[in-house]
Amino acid sequence: MDRKDSISESSHSSVSQTSLKNVTKYDEGGPRRSTRADYETAIAATEYGKFHYWLLLACGWANAADAVEILCVSFLLPSAECDLLLTSTDKGILSAIVFLGMMIGGYLWGGLGDSLGRRGVLMVSMTVNAIFGMLSSLAMTFPTFLVLRFLSGLGIGGSIPVTWSYYAEFQPKAKRGAMLSFLAAFWMVGNLVVAGLAWAIIPLTFEYESANFQFNSWRLFTLLCGIPSLSVAITLIFFPESPRYLLSQGDEEGALEVFRRIYASNTGRPVSQYPFTNLELDDDMLSTVSHHSEKLFRRIKRICHRVGSQSKLAFGPAVRRSMILMIIINFAIQFGYYGLWLWFPELFNRLQVYYEDHNVTVSVCEVVDFKPNTTGQDPFEHCKDAAPPDNQVFINAFIVAIAPLPANIWTIFHMDKLGRKFFLVFSMIGSGLAAFLIWLVRSSAGNLALSCIFGAVSTMGFNALDCLGAELFPTNVRSTAMSITLAAARLGAILGNIIFGVFVDVACAIPILLVATLLMFGGLLGLWLPNTTKEPLL
């Protein structure tokens, strides 16, 4: 997540008789007595059904769309190299620029989501993502393409956290943890979509060219990758605003209307049979409502002061060790995962090109700088007779994309049995060893197998971190702590891609061994984290 930015909570509470105050059964159109409930009781009373499953598809597709936009760059690099005159350093910067946009966009859109509403901000951020992603397919130069991908990243940075907040606020406690896990699984769906789309589109040989314009298969692929985000923005028109957000803004009747709509959709009964007519506000909502009429300058000042004080608490004595460990671990796993994962299609392409001209087995680092039919004077001399990447490149990428499926299933059913620390440590040490062996292995089949192992075991680490991030920190600093660790993770992804691009042609061993070392180091640090498995939230 990118891969994933979520807070998973679960509880086994249900609507008890004592939580229903003055509940009266009445027929449609009959008199309505005043009945009151808190937010959790009200959402549980809507029951669970058709509305929630449609919402899962919509928000899950939003999560998949974000994965498509993040990963599509890695698939177009081999084909775009000649059209945009990309050096390896340029490729690293291009892969990293999306994460820079996400880092900035996360703060921008997250604040707007709290102020203007989840649904509207999510629609706008997905539209920004789609429009600039699709426009990048028309960019004729590297700087233009880079700027447009950065702007697309701004949209992704907003859609990821807002999607999770929006979806979670419709879930009753008893279902929240499990349904957030299902939402996370859609990231792999995005992996498969982008890999399958690349396989189907990029090998095509069509091309339209004029004096100042060119359009070919990789540009069509880039254009199509924006459609999932655009389709999400359109789909959200048919969904309501988060009732929790409405209630926090003092719109009690608006929140009730949403609850009634969900109730009618899930049960098939008239909206008038929803059992509550009034809602209670919890402490967080009361605080938000009390500040709702503040002037803009005063609100900004209050928020800045709160961020500063919360940041100090996040590094307070009680959680300082956990915070420092989580910052390092998040940095390490995203440096390693995205630093290597986004380069797999490029590495597969270079191996395929080499094996077409040589019948020998070599390691990755022995072929990364190989260019066929060149004198060495011009780094783009091979572009004169360049053909689209071989189908095998995309077949390999598709196989790697589907490899995490068993690992996802295993973590869903065994996370509570084996524990968060087990999966984190096992994942990071295992993926580090896989990265190290990629440097040593001397066959294309071996590289493919190790790439699959790397992706599969890395997934378990991300899933474990999702749980640990929610459970390690007390409620009063949880959001702040996760924002800090997320910033460290984004920084790791940016540096991983840039360092890989700078060194891959100069000293290939450096980025690969650095990835391996950081991942294994992060895994060992995980041993010092507290055990949170089956422990109550702080």
Side-chain angles (χ1 to χ4, degrees):
M1 119 174 142
D2 135 133
R3 279 186 354 158
K4 304 170 288 226
D5 305 317
S6 64
I7 302 177
S8 296
E9 303 179 47
S10 64
S11 173
H12 52 272
S13 65
S14 60
V15 184
S16 65
Q17 292 298 318
T18 57
S19 66
L20 303 179
K21 301 183 180 180
N22 303 319
V23 174
T24 302
K25 293 184 178 180
Y26 44 83
D27 296 327
E28 183 175 358
R32 180 176 295 198
R33 289 178 57 188
S34 176
T35 55
R36 182 175 296 275
D38 60 25
Y39 182 84
E40 292 295 345
T41 303
I43 193 67
T46 64
E47 302 187 23
Y48 210 88
K50 184 168 65 174
F51 173 86
H52 291 93
Y53 299 129
W54 280 114
L55 183 68
L56 173 62
L57 288 177
C59 292
W61 188 234
N63 197 28
D66 290 329
V68 169
E69 280 295 329
I70 291 172
L71 300 174
C72 75
V73 171
S74 66
F75 288 95
L76 61 84
L77 289 179
S79 299
E81 175 185 350
C82 293
D83 291 341
L84 299 178
L85 302 179
L86 301 176
T87 64
S88 291
T89 300
D90 292 336
K91 293 175 182 178
I93 294 172
L94 186 55
S95 296
I97 199 70
V98 175
F99 293 97
L100 180 60
M102 290 169 63
M103 182 185 290
I104 298 172
Y107 289 103
L108 172 67
W109 294 108
L112 290 175
D114 289 337
S115 303
L116 303 178
R118 317 286 196 232
R119 173 176 162 270
V121 167
L122 181 55
M123 291 171 66
V124 174
S125 64
M126 295 300 292
T127 303
V128 168
N129 178 7
I131 289 175
F132 288 109
M134 296 169 83
L135 283 176
S136 69
S137 69
L138 306 177
M140 295 295 110
T141 64
F142 171 62
T144 306
F145 192 80
L146 190 70
V147 170
L148 290 171
R149 295 312 301 184
F150 168 76
L151 294 174
S152 174
L154 289 177
I156 300 170
S159 60
I160 289 177
V162 177
T163 295
W164 286 92
S165 297
Y166 179 70
Y167 182 74
E169 288 171 0
F170 284 96
Q171 307 304 312
K173 280 185 178 181
K175 295 276 189 179
R176 192 171 298 146
M179 297 313 294
L180 287 174
S181 296
F182 277 111
L183 180 62
F186 275 86
W187 188 268
M188 193 188 70
V189 174
N191 265 342
L192 294 176
V193 168
V194 71
L197 198 59
W199 183 6
I201 301 297
I202 294 181
L204 300 178
T205 56
F206 81 90
E207 183 171 9
Y208 171 80
E209 189 169 1
S210 63
N212 299 308
F213 183 74
Q214 178 192 52
F215 196 83
N216 48 23
S217 60
W218 74 262
R219 294 182 183 277
L220 176 61
F221 165 73
T222 307
L223 182 70
L224 293 177
C225 283
I227 293 178
S229 295
L230 190 60
S231 66
V232 170
I234 295 171
T235 301
L236 287 171
I237 294 172
F238 304 99
F239 286 87
E241 177 56 89
S242 158
R244 186 173 182 87
Y245 168 78
L246 292 173
L247 197 56
S248 71
Q249 300 302 301
D251 187 1
E252 181 183 7
E253 186 55 39
L256 278 168
E257 193 59 39
V258 173
F259 286 136
R260 292 172 190 140
R261 174 179 168 182
I262 298 171
Y263 173 81
S265 176
N266 286 342
T267 66
R269 301 172 197 145
V271 294
S272 58
Q273 291 189 16
Y274 181 69
F276 301 113
T277 59
N278 295 95
L279 298 172
E280 296 175 356
L281 278 66
D282 60 29
D283 291 341
D284 288 338
M285 293 177 183
L286 287 169
S287 175
T288 303
V289 171
S290 67
H291 294 297
H292 188 54
S293 59
E294 275 185 332
K295 292 182 179 180
L296 180 61
F297 178 76
R298 181 164 184 161
R299 182 181 297 186
I300 293 173
K301 183 178 179 181
R302 176 177 56 80
I303 291 173
C304 290
H305 179 268
R306 183 178 180 183
V307 168
S309 62
Q310 289 295 102
S311 297
K312 289 181 181 178
L313 288 174
F315 284 93
V319 293
R320 184 181 297 137
R321 188 180 75 166
S322 294
M323 172 60 77
I324 293 172
L325 288 173
M326 286 292 283
I327 287 173
I328 298 172
I329 291 169
N330 273 274
F331 177 90
I333 195 171
Q334 294 224 13
F335 182 102
Y337 179 80
Y338 286 112
L340 189 56
W341 183 268
L342 293 181
W343 282 84
F344 278 152
E346 173 76 6
L347 295 176
F348 288 146
N349 184 58
R350 294 193 186 192
L351 286 167
Q352 190 68 27
V353 169
Y354 185 88
Y355 288 134
E356 286 176 359
D357 287 4
H358 301 79
N359 190 25
V360 293
T361 57
V362 292
S363 68
V364 170
C365 287
E366 291 176 284
V367 299
V368 288
D369 59 346
F370 172 74
K371 296 285 189 295
N373 305 317
T374 63
T375 61
Q377 302 294 323
D378 181 2
F380 301 106
E381 185 180 346
H382 66 287
C383 291
K384 296 174 184 177
D385 302 312
D390 189 85
N391 259 328
Q392 191 60 45
V393 173
F394 301 105
I395 293 172
N396 290 347
F398 189 83
I399 293 171
V400 172
I402 204 171
L405 178 59
N408 268 312
I409 295 173
W410 190 36
T411 53
I412 287 173
F413 290 104
H414 292 85
M415 185 65 75
D416 287 329
K417 295 179 182 178
L418 298 176
R420 284 65 160 141
K421 287 176 64 174
F422 168 81
F423 279 106
L424 178 65
V425 174
F426 176 77
S427 165
M428 294 191 72
I429 292 178
S431 57
L433 288 173
F436 177 74
L437 293 174
I438 287 173
W439 176 58
L440 295 178
V441 74
R442 301 179 66 85
S443 71
S444 57
N447 269 297
L448 178 59
L450 287 169
S451 300
C452 289
I453 294 171
F454 177 83
V457 294
S458 294
T459 295
M460 294 186 286
F462 280 108
N463 291 345
L465 277 177
D466 285 342
C467 296
L468 286 166
E471 297 167 345
L472 276 174
F473 304 105
T475 303
N476 64 324
V477 297
R478 184 172 295 132
S479 294
T480 303
M482 292 194 70
S483 297
I484 294 170
T485 57
L486 180 59
R490 294 281 185 260
L491 183 61
I494 292 169
L495 292 179
N497 276 285
I498 291 176
I499 289 175
F500 210 103
V502 169
F503 287 103
V504 67
D505 289 336
V506 180
C508 168
I510 291 177
I512 293 180
L513 293 180
L514 188 57
V515 164
T517 302
L518 274 174
L519 286 170
M520 288 190 280
F521 176 67
L524 291 174
L525 286 182
L527 294 171
W528 275 269
L529 287 172
N531 178 40
T532 63
T533 304
K534 296 184 179 180
E535 294 291 327
L537 290 176
L538 299 174

